[in-house]
């Protein structure tokens, strides 16, 4: 997916990559001017992951990419190649045939780094004194996934920065990064259901600490740092509304303030095309569920400034209806305005 970067001059760039190996940025000016191409870089091989934001120690934006089959490439904010020499195969991780990327942001408990998710484990990627990419250690999964994992979640905890990797069958492993850069295994969550989408990390209960939100086909789970459930969770799909038994929770999972009260809500969809919004207590919001999509799949995102936020919903297929189950709508994009969100200090 593309990344959004607000430049120091106030303009916004959408940074994207293509499978053919092109990485570029489209400029969205902070005025009425039309979008334009900011820069484009052609990598030496096909792109398999990224670009992901990987700012340097002085907060200068840089972009990390992975190209086939196992090489990492670091670009500066203008697309110029800083380093393209790090290959992951041959180290402690053995042969690497595919890679996905995740950003580690440990803040006060460690040095910022990135994670290269490979077939059998993940590599912690950092920089040396010259600003070049280095492999800072390989950490095997607790079990081998059927495919290279794409989902991960990180948050600050009492013991350090907690990093977990998932696939559709559940959790692959959990680690804690301390302020000295050491990585240690930590207790798994003990999930007993497959996941249907990537997890989300956000503060649900307003205590100032991020919670981990997970979605299975039947339940929404919200867990504190200690693994204890947030009050009101897990929330069962069957308790939300009497929807058809053939439907269940589907991705994606989005956490944002939906009603302007300053508290985060959970946005989710069913595989029957229904939008559902749960409050921070796990209860469904009024006028939900809302049928807007179809059974093919979709996506959602909240964007815009705090006083002009928009919920964007995208469906890739069509909505069928009478007569004869014909296609009433083709794939579409819809935007819904959200109430301005209140600052944290105004919460009750």
């Amino acid at each position: 997916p593309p990344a959004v970067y607000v430049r120091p001059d106030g303009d916004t760039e959408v940074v994207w990559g293509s499978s053919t190996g092109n990485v570029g940025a489209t400029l969205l000016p902070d005025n009425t001017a039309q979008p334009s191409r900011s820069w484009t870089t052609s990598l030496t091989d096909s792109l398999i992951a990224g670009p992901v934001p990987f700012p340097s120690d002085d907060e200068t934006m840089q972009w990390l990419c992975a190209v086939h089959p196992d090489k990492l490439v670091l670009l500066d904010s203008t697309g110029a190649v800083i380093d393209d020499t790090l290959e992951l195969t041959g180290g402690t991780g053995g042969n690497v045939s595919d890679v996905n990327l995740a950003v580690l942001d440990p803040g006060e408990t460690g040095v910022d780094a990135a994670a290269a998710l490979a077939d059998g484990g993940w590599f912690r990627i950092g920089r040396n004194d010259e600003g070049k990419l280095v492999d800072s250690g390989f950490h095997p999964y607790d079990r081998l996934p059927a495919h290279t994992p794409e989902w991960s979640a990180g948050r600050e905890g009492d013991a350090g920065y907690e990093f977990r990797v998932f696939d559709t069958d559940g959790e692959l492993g959990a680690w804690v990064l301390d302020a000295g850069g050491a990585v240690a295994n930590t207790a798994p969550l003990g999930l007993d259901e497959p996941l249907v989408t990537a997890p989300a990390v956000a503060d649900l209960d307003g205590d100032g600490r991020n919670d981990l939100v997970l979605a299975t086909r039947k339940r929404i789970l919200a867990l504190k740092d200690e693994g204890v459930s947030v009050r009101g969770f897990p929330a069962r799909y069957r308790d939300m509304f009497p929807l058809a038994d053939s439907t269940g929770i589907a991705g994606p999972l989005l956490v944002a303030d939906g009603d302007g009260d300053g508290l985060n809500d959970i946005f989710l969809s069913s595989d029957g095309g229904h939008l559902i919004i749960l409050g921070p207590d796990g209860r469904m919001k009024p006028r939900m569920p809302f049928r807007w999509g179809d059974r093919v799949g979709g996506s959602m995102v909240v964007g815009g400034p705090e006083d002009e936020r928009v919920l964007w919903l995208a469906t890739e297929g069509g909505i069928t209806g009478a007569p004869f189950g014909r296609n009433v709508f083709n794939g579409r994009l819809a935007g819904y305005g959200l109430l301005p969100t209140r600052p944290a200090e105004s919460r009750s």
Side-chain angles (χ1 to χ4, degrees):
V4 178
Y5 168 50
V6 180
R7 304 191 318 192
D9 62 6
D11 286 339
T12 300
E13 288 182 341
V14 178
V15 183
W16 46 266
S18 68
S19 59
T20 57
N22 291 323
V23 179
T26 300
L27 175 64
L28 307 178
D30 191 22
N31 52 38
T32 58
Q34 293 294 315
S36 60
R37 184 70 57 85
S38 181
W39 53 265
T40 305
T41 297
S42 295
L43 304 179
T44 57
D45 214 325
S46 57
L47 188 72
I48 56 176
V52 299
F54 192 27
S56 61
D57 293 342
D58 63 0
E59 298 186 356
T60 300
M61 180 54 69
Q62 296 178 356
W63 300 97
L64 182 63
C65 308
V67 297
H68 181 79
D70 65 341
K71 181 185 288 188
L72 301 185
V73 179
L74 186 64
L75 308 176
D76 70 10
S77 60
T78 66
V81 176
I82 299 173
D83 184 24
D84 62 354
T85 60
L86 180 58
E87 296 183 359
L88 300 177
T89 293
T92 54
N95 185 59
V96 176
S97 60
D98 195 13
V99 174
N100 284 308
L101 297 173
V103 178
L104 306 180
D105 187 17
E108 297 180 356
T109 61
V111 178
D112 290 355
L117 310 179
D119 319 61
W122 65 278
F123 297 84
R124 183 179 178 184
I125 305 301
R127 295 182 180 87
N128 60 20
D129 293 338
E130 299 176 351
K132 305 295 186 180
L133 296 174
V134 293
D135 172 7
S136 300
F138 176 77
H139 308 280
Y141 305 133
D142 294 341
R143 60 175 174 84
L144 288 178
H147 306 283
T148 304
E150 300 179 5
W151 301 339
S152 63
R155 58 177 175 172
E156 295 279 1
D158 291 334
Y161 184 78
E162 177 187 285
F163 180 63
R164 298 179 184 273
V165 180
F166 304 87
D167 66 0
T168 53
D169 292 328
E171 192 173 17
L172 288 168
W175 301 264
V176 170
L177 291 69
D178 67 18
V183 181
N185 290 76
T186 190
L189 298 173
L191 302 176
D192 56 2
E193 298 176 58
L195 301 182
V196 295
T197 189
V201 175
D203 181 12
L204 275 182
D205 54 9
D207 65 354
R209 308 190 70 177
N210 281 334
D211 306 302
L212 178 61
V213 185
L214 303 165
T216 72
R217 182 171 170 79
K218 299 179 180 179
R219 298 188 299 170
I220 297 293
L221 302 99
L223 303 171
K224 293 178 173 291
D225 173 47
E226 310 85 8
V228 178
S229 293
V230 175
R231 173 183 280 186
F233 293 89
R236 287 169 42 88
Y237 179 73
R238 292 289 169 248
D239 296 337
M240 297 177 191
F241 194 82
L243 294 168
D245 291 341
S246 59
T247 66
I249 297 170
L253 191 62
L254 176 67
V255 180
D257 179 9
D259 52 13
D261 64 354
L263 295 173
N264 279 322
D265 305 303
I266 299 176
F267 294 70
L268 60 124
S269 60
S270 77
D271 55 11
H274 300 90
L275 171 68
I276 299 173
I277 304 178
L278 303 180
D281 57 359
R283 298 180 181 179
M284 190 166 63
K285 291 289 186 176
R287 297 186 295 277
M288 292 290 133
F290 168 55
R291 176 84 189 280
W292 74 276
D294 52 60
R295 290 179 177 269
V296 177
S299 183
M300 66 177 79
V301 66
V302 169
E306 291 186 350
D307 58 344
E308 296 180 356
R309 297 175 309 133
V310 176
L311 169 66
W312 292 101
L313 303 174
T315 174
E316 62 190 60
I319 299 177
T320 58
F324 312 120
R326 66 177 183 174
N327 233 33
V328 180
F329 296 104
N330 294 317
R332 58 178 178 149
L333 177 68
Y336 299 87
L338 299 179
L339 291 173
T341 185
R342 295 194 305 180
E345 57 268 24
S346 66
R347 296 175 183 170
S348 60

